[in-house]
Amino acid sequence: MIVAGQSQSAYFLEEELPSTERSHTLSVLVDNEPGVLARVVGLFSGRGYNIESLTVSEIEHSSHMSRITIVTTGRPPVISQIMHQLGRLVPVHKVVNLTWAGDALERELALVKVSGRGEIRDEALRLAQAFNARIVDATLDSYVFEITGAPADIDRFVGLMKDCGLVELARTGLAALARGKAGI
């Protein structure tokens, strides 16, 4: 089942939505079985579509269901085509474009390692407090911060940490849900 805001044909959506290229967050409900992720990623790579972020996790252990959250960029006709092709894959139960569905909640987690002493170390700590980042590891020469938030906020935090001795960065990828009482 393919959902794009409301139950409308893809042709109607293409006419209604702007034709500019923008980022889209797709939520895909699939069977949790070997090879499913490879098939989904293969669909993107085989057609030359880029995946900017990919998050996969089992959401219902008893029914063996997983949720794949994919961030990709494209114009509405391309996104519509991607959604329809995903929907035709056998292990896919539902595809929702959270960007078209409305104001989705989007969060990401990052671990940020900075190294330094003295004033630079103090500045990194002040910035971490301003962004509500937690210290998960500390040595005399470094901190590892954990920050959760909107991707743009994490981008800002990481940009500021470059001046404080950024050493290493790990990001989880986007997790997203539509607002309201309805689920996928």
Side-chain angles (χ1 to χ4, degrees):
M1 172 188 264
I2 298 171
V3 178
Q6 300 172 338
S7 51
Q8 304 169 356
S9 84
Y11 300 108
F12 179 79
L13 285 171
E14 291 172 14
E15 293 171 8
E16 180 183 290
L17 297 171
S19 62
T20 59
E21 192 168 282
R22 66 178 280 206
S23 180
H24 292 266
T25 303
L26 305 178
S27 186
V28 186
L29 191 61
V30 300
D31 290 333
N32 185 10
E33 58 187 39
V36 173
L37 180 59
R39 291 178 68 190
V40 169
V41 171
L43 184 145
F44 278 80
S45 66
R47 288 158 180 82
Y49 304 140
N50 187 40
I51 295 175
E52 296 171 11
S53 174
L54 178 69
T55 308
V56 183
S57 183
E58 185 175 60
I59 58 170
E60 290 181 31
H61 184 68
S62 61
S63 63
H64 303 287
M65 299 291 285
S66 289
R67 182 184 194 126
I68 302 174
T69 305
I70 303 167
V71 178
T72 189
T73 301
R75 293 185 9 234
V78 172
I79 299 302
S80 182
Q81 180 183 23
I82 290 171
M83 291 176 64
H84 282 83
Q85 290 171 344
L86 283 170
R88 287 196 302 260
L89 293 177
V90 172
V92 173
H93 294 275
K94 194 169 187 181
V95 179
V96 177
N97 185 329
L98 295 173
T99 305
W100 287 344
D103 189 25
L105 296 170
E106 299 180 339
R107 295 292 181 266
E108 186 175 12
L109 179 132
L111 296 175
V112 181
K113 184 189 293 185
V114 294
S115 178
R117 290 183 169 258
E119 286 183 32
I120 291 176
R121 183 177 170 87
D122 294 340
E123 183 62 20
L125 189 55
R126 280 191 292 273
L127 287 168
Q129 289 171 341
F131 279 83
N132 292 321
R134 279 187 341 119
I135 299 170
V136 292
D137 186 57
T139 68
L140 294 175
D141 296 320
S142 67
Y143 284 120
V144 176
F145 298 109
E146 175 187 290
I147 182 169
T148 303
D153 293 338
I154 293 175
D155 290 341
R156 286 185 27 237
F157 181 71
V158 169
L160 292 169
M161 285 295 153
K162 287 180 181 175
D163 293 334
C164 294
L166 178 68
V167 174
E168 195 172 6
L169 170 68
R171 294 176 83 151
T172 60
L174 195 67
L177 289 174
R179 292 183 187 268
K181 64 181 181 177
I184 188 170

